Amino acid sequence: IVCVTPATDHVTFTRDKMDLCDVLVSCQRVAETAKHVRVCSENVPKVAEELKQLLKSQAFSLANWRKHELHPSVPDASQHIDWVFVIDTLNFSFWHDNPSNKFTVDYRGKLWTGYWSLVAAINRALDEGIAITTPSFYSQMDLETFSHVFRSATDTAVPLLETRFKILTETGRILVKKFQGTFRTCVQQADHSAERLVRIVTDHFESFRDCATYNDEPVSLLKRVQILVADLYGCFGGDGPGLFDDIDSITMFADYRVPQGLVHLGLLEYDEMLSTKLNSGELLESGSPLEVEIRACSIWSVEVLRRTIQALLDREEVDDKGDKRDRGAKRTVCNSILLDFYIWDMAKDNAEALAAIPIHRTRGIFY
């Protein structure tokens, strides 16, 4: 099985199918053999105890997704399933060579950068009457209109503008041709299964096929398709089109911000060689061994953390005889989506405090 991962264009795979269940298996294998990144298991119990308390106090929860002013607060399935799909089709590569001059979107009197610049640009376009979330429109959109949607308040353009345009228009054409012109059809076909939705999306939409090779073995990472499921889950509060019976099979979303947060928490450690490269700002090629180690070890460290938190929660919910303390209470569940959202927000909100921990720089379409 060979995965070829060009840094700035579509990805070509000889692998026929991409399954959600492959992610943890392949990432654990990388974590156990990685040369330059270490999952710090000895620090997991302390972090797990802290995050367990935050989870129980509702300091972070699924409800936080809707609370951001740019996210839909009252979701409508007829509009926001396609909205989420466009967001996650374009949700990649927002870091800049010059952090003081970023791609910035001016929307409703506020300036937005990073991931939020994408959301602000899409919402601004909709406010202007541009049907940017309607596949029949964006499948035929011209580059001039797309460039207008992503106009910047600074002299720095959105990274990979033409690549984003190519991916979005191609994605729109597939939805029109195969799915009645809406991503709602894909969600309906998945029938509340995250695993089926991952399969549908990776089977039909090439830019979501996020895998690599490490030591001549395939590694599934699947960041954008998993966050697509998670965003539907968050947008609809785990109900209706956001209800997935197997939602806990989703892993964390291996990007460049969460690994920074994991290093800060003491759950990941880079060796001296990798640290030197990152501190110098050296670009890591998409699919390179160093980049795969960072991403795969991040996924596995969050899984180890999740399992530890869940064991702590389960232990608290039973008495000394092994019976549930409150028979009417619903089991408290910690999944990787909640942990990823929390760590991402923590790292983003404390960017200055975490500035000494470099993010890895990879210019590509997967994150």
Side-chain angles (χ1 to χ4, degrees):
I1 300 171
V2 179
C3 303
V4 183
T5 55
T8 59
D9 211 331
H10 286 305
V11 183
T12 302
F13 294 91
T14 59
R15 188 174 185 178
D16 291 333
K17 300 294 181 183
M18 306 192 74
D19 290 320
L20 187 55
C21 61
D22 293 336
V23 176
L24 286 180
V25 173
S26 60
C27 288
Q28 180 181 7
R29 187 173 59 241
V30 173
E32 290 173 347
T33 58
K35 299 178 178 67
H36 305 286
V37 183
R38 186 173 74 89
V39 175
C40 304
S41 302
E42 70 275 11
N43 295 331
V44 169
K46 178 177 180 292
V47 177
E49 181 63 38
E50 293 172 354
L51 295 191
K52 181 206 70 174
Q53 296 298 339
L54 291 174
L55 183 65
K56 290 180 66 177
S57 69
Q58 298 288 300
F60 65 97
S61 70
L62 186 61
N64 288 0
W65 194 97
R66 290 190 196 174
K67 291 179 181 178
H68 195 282
E69 63 183 283
L70 293 182
H71 279 166
S73 57
V74 184
D76 177 348
S78 66
Q79 301 176 42
H80 293 126
I81 293 175
D82 282 306
W83 182 92
V84 167
F85 185 61
V86 167
I87 292 293
D88 287 319
T89 297
L90 300 174
N91 184 7
F92 56 84
S93 203
F94 290 102
W95 61 268
H96 294 276
D97 292 318
N98 181 2
S100 64
N101 190 26
K102 300 177 181 179
F103 168 68
T104 303
V105 170
D106 185 347
Y107 178 56
R108 294 184 176 178
K110 290 187 178 182
L111 299 177
W112 302 95
T113 60
Y115 162 77
W116 298 114
S117 67
L118 165 65
V119 183
I122 296 301
N123 289 347
R124 180 178 64 183
L126 291 170
D127 288 355
E128 294 172 347
I130 300 171
I132 190 63
T133 59
T134 302
S136 60
F137 172 80
Y138 64 73
S139 63
Q140 302 295 323
M141 182 172 45
D142 57 35
L143 181 57
E144 182 180 359
T145 302
F146 188 78
S147 300
H148 174 75
V149 168
F150 283 94
R151 65 191 183 275
S152 180
T154 68
D155 57 5
T156 300
V158 64
L160 305 180
L161 175 70
E162 292 190 9
T163 300
R164 293 177 196 275
F165 170 73
K166 183 178 180 182
I167 288 173
L168 186 63
T169 52
E170 179 182 293
T171 296
R173 286 192 289 271
I174 293 168
L175 286 174
V176 169
K177 182 178 180 180
K178 298 183 177 181
F179 297 101
Q180 294 81 53
T182 175
F183 188 65
R184 296 194 304 275
T185 303
C186 299
V187 174
Q188 290 163 2
Q189 289 180 2
D191 192 24
H192 303 292
S193 168
E195 185 171 355
R196 277 195 293 271
L197 188 56
V198 166
R199 173 64 70 83
I200 290 167
V201 172
T202 55
D203 277 357
H204 294 279
F205 304 99
E206 191 176 5
S207 75
F208 284 91
R209 297 176 196 165
D210 177 9
C211 79
T213 57
Y214 184 82
N215 289 343
D216 298 322
E217 295 279 354
V219 182
S220 291
L221 299 155
L222 301 183
K223 186 266 183 178
R224 283 199 294 114
V225 70
Q226 290 201 85
I227 204 169
L228 169 61
V229 173
D231 282 341
L232 289 169
Y233 177 62
C235 182
F236 294 96
D239 196 16
L243 172 63
F244 296 96
D245 298 328
D246 53 352
I247 193 65
D248 295 339
S249 62
I250 295 292
T251 73
M252 66 80 72
F253 321 120
D255 65 354
Y256 46 81
R257 183 65 67 186
V258 175
Q260 181 192 43
L262 292 170
V263 172
H264 172 72
L265 291 171
L267 299 178
L268 275 191
E269 183 178 82
Y270 301 150
D271 74 358
E272 184 177 356
M273 184 273 279
L274 177 55
S275 296
T276 299
K277 286 180 177 288
L278 298 184
N279 281 312
S280 70
E282 182 175 329
L283 199 68
L284 300 185
E285 184 180 351
S286 180
S288 65
L290 289 176
E291 190 245 10
V292 173
E293 284 192 17
I294 292 172
R295 299 184 72 203
C297 289
S298 296
I299 289 173
W300 184 244
S301 70
V302 171
E303 176 61 15
V304 173
L305 178 64
R306 183 200 67 78
R307 293 178 184 182
T308 306
I309 294 173
Q310 191 62 61
L312 291 172
L313 291 168
D314 290 346
R315 196 174 302 139
E316 288 186 354
E317 291 179 0
V318 298
D319 60 23
D320 294 337
K321 296 179 181 179
D323 295 325
K324 195 169 180 65
R325 294 186 189 278
D326 183 351
R327 294 183 182 279
K330 187 177 180 181
R331 178 176 181 250
T332 304
V333 173
C334 176
N335 62 38
S336 293
I337 294 173
L338 294 177
L339 292 176
D340 184 285
F341 285 174
Y342 170 78
I343 296 168
W344 191 91
D345 286 342
M346 179 273 295
K348 189 75 172 174
D349 293 344
N350 297 279
E352 290 187 12
L354 272 65
I357 304 171
I359 65 168
H360 69 279
R361 293 152 56 94
T362 298
R363 185 66 76 195
I365 65 170
F366 293 140
Y367 60 99

